[in-house]
Amino acid sequence: MSRGVFKARRTVSRRSVLLALGGASLLAACGPDKGAWHAGGELPGDSHSGEVSADPMPSVFPSVAPPTPGQCPPITGAGTPRHGGPQYYLPCKGTQIALTVDDGPDPQYTPHMLALLAKYDIRATFCMIGRSAAAHPDLVKQVVAGGHHIANHTYTHPLNLTKQPAAQIRAELHRASEAISNASGGQPTLFRAPGGAWSDAVLSECGALGMRPLDWSVDPRDWSRPGVQHIVDTILTRTRPGAIILEHDGGGNRDQTVSALTIALPRLLDAGYAFAQP
């Protein structure tokens, strides 16, 4: 069995920790549909009410076309990842898609995200900032207990990792893995660069720590709080078999994200999509 091909359990045992930190080996991928870098800072907005809102106006959201197994988006020239580069899509087969959740753990929004995923029996990949994992080890354990994977997302979420010297890149990745390991008991095997900022130096340090680079293909830019309608529309109209969807549970007010996923996730499931982990 290759490193990281696991299925996590719901209890926080040594085995479940190791399983939750793994993933399938990187296979041939399709081209990216990437979004811009996000600052992830606090944005104005109301605090979360503690309730996951229901779909208020079902008719205003687009319908989801049933997926055709193996019908993945075509590879695009400029954005085609080279061999050994980041993963933008799941292997192009079946109707599987992946949900990734960045910039946590967050004491306000991560529990809401976990409750929503549990409701629909979905396993996601949480890309955690190391200092947040160190500050909230209990939330890290809850993510593991839910059967989710944990990816390294640097220790401080720097503006552009590619502009940092090699020693600083190494420190960002190493400190984040150490913080995640201390909280969960296992080492992450996936790494996501903040904003999808990749370079040879970043990929080299990622590989040196035994991690695979993970990117995304569907970005509704929920970090900018563009409105529930925009987030839902983007997810439902751009998701295709193999897609890796980017969402956030940290970095600011995530009310819109939670509300949008409350609408989008059951619709994707009803359309015939199946959630998997990279």
Side-chain angles (χ1 to χ4, degrees):
M1 179 179 292
S2 61
R3 181 185 65 240
V5 183
F6 297 125
K7 194 179 284 185
R9 296 179 179 173
R10 290 182 176 275
T11 57
V12 187
S13 62
R14 182 174 183 275
R15 175 175 170 77
S16 68
V17 166
L18 293 174
L19 303 187
L21 291 166
S25 59
L26 180 60
L27 300 177
C30 302
D33 174 20
K34 293 172 56 61
W37 178 85
H38 61 88
E42 185 72 34
L43 294 168
D46 298 332
S47 61
H48 200 280
S49 63
E51 298 291 333
V52 176
S53 61
D55 186 342
M57 299 174 61
S59 62
V60 305
F61 297 107
S63 59
V64 186
T68 301
Q71 187 181 57
C72 299
I75 293 176
T76 57
T80 303
R82 62 186 183 279
H83 178 71
Q87 180 181 3
Y88 298 97
Y89 280 82
L90 298 179
C92 297
K93 61 182 180 181
T95 62
Q96 292 185 334
I97 57 177
L99 175 65
T100 60
V101 186
D102 283 19
D103 294 354
D106 179 89
Q108 184 170 4
Y109 294 101
T110 301
H112 292 293
M113 189 70 70
L114 289 173
L116 181 61
L117 295 175
K119 177 179 179 180
Y120 294 109
D121 198 26
I122 291 172
R123 306 293 180 272
T125 299
F126 284 76
C127 304
M128 293 187 178
I129 297 175
R131 63 184 177 188
S132 296
H136 306 289
D138 56 327
L139 290 178
V140 178
K141 291 179 175 63
Q142 289 178 39
V143 170
V144 172
H148 308 288
H149 287 175
I150 298 177
N152 181 321
H153 196 37
T154 72
Y155 192 79
T156 66
H157 199 285
L159 178 65
N160 189 336
L161 196 60
T162 66
K163 302 298 184 181
Q164 305 293 326
Q168 184 61 32
I169 295 173
R170 186 178 308 114
E172 283 283 345
L173 273 62
H174 177 77
R175 291 184 68 193
S177 284
E178 185 176 53
I180 292 169
S181 176
N182 288 340
S184 67
Q187 289 285 338
T189 61
L190 297 170
F191 170 72
R192 169 167 285 170
W198 302 100
S199 67
D200 288 340
V202 173
L203 291 169
S204 177
E205 295 300 335
C206 173
L209 287 175
M211 296 185 292
R212 293 189 292 108
L214 177 67
D215 212 276
W216 61 84
S217 51
V218 176
D219 180 10
R221 296 173 65 84
D222 64 308
W223 58 269
S224 68
R225 304 187 72 244
V228 173
Q229 177 83 45
H230 174 86
I231 299 170
V232 174
D233 286 357
T234 302
I235 294 173
L236 297 187
T237 59
R238 296 187 184 180
T239 296
R240 299 291 185 273
I244 298 176
I245 302 169
L246 171 64
E247 297 291 331
H248 295 79
D249 65 337
N253 186 314
R254 299 298 170 233
D255 286 346
Q256 292 183 5
T257 301
V258 175
S259 295
L261 289 178
T262 302
I263 298 164
L265 294 181
R267 291 179 179 229
L268 291 171
L269 292 171
D270 288 345
Y273 285 101
F275 283 86
Q277 293 163 312

